[in-house]
């Protein structure tokens, strides 16, 4: 897996999957739509109709503790939403 880091499994993505047959993945920041499409098709043996990508910036986080204020930053990441051909799906839970 060169470009796909992990699939997105959340309540929001499950609703999108059931409603519109779209699946989400966290991908490497340098990956483009053609590379993501090709990798999803080879890994899961499906036909990809479209790919939407979005880049999320890292956000500053802080919390108060006994020892004082702790500051940090969450990681930046790129997300891809993949639309599949009608009647096809991806089973993320087949290896469990």
């Amino acid at each position: 897996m060169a470009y796909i880091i992990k699939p997105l499994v959340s309540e929001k993505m499950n609703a999108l999957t059931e409603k519109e047959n779209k699946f989400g993945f966290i991908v490497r920041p340098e990956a483009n739509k053609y590379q993501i499409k090709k990798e999803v098709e080879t890994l899961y043996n499906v036909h990809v109709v479209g790919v939407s990508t979005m880049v999320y910036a890292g956000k500053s986080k802080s919390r108060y503790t006994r020892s004082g204020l702790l500051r940090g930053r969450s990681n930046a990441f790129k997300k891809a939403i993949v639309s599949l051909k009608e009647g096809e799906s991806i089973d993320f839970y087949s290896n469990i």
Side-chain angles (χ1 to χ4, degrees):
M1 294 198 310
Y3 299 109
I4 295 176
I5 297 172
K6 64 181 180 178
L8 275 176
V9 180
S10 64
E11 289 183 28
K12 190 172 183 179
M13 277 310 307
N14 287 340
L16 193 63
T17 298
E18 292 172 4
K19 189 175 181 183
E20 300 180 17
N21 201 25
K22 294 182 179 182
F23 295 86
F25 297 94
I26 300 291
V27 296
R28 297 174 70 83
E30 63 270 8
N32 62 30
K33 293 181 181 186
Y34 302 110
Q35 294 165 336
I36 295 167
K37 177 181 176 179
K38 184 176 178 184
E39 188 165 345
V40 169
E41 286 179 344
T42 56
L43 280 176
Y44 297 107
N45 296 323
V46 293
H47 298 306
V48 175
V49 176
V51 178
S52 300
T53 59
M54 53 216 79
V55 178
Y56 289 89
K59 296 181 179 165
S60 297
K61 304 276 185 173
S62 63
R63 65 179 182 201
Y64 294 99
T65 62
R66 287 184 184 176
S67 61
L69 182 66
L70 293 177
R71 293 187 180 183
R73 191 162 183 85
S74 64
N75 294 333
F77 62 97
K78 186 172 188 176
K79 182 166 82 170
I81 307 294
V82 177
S83 302
L84 297 184
K85 188 176 172 183
E86 190 71 32
E88 293 185 344
S89 67
I90 297 173
D91 185 18
F92 293 129
Y93 304 109
S94 62
N95 295 338
I96 297 176

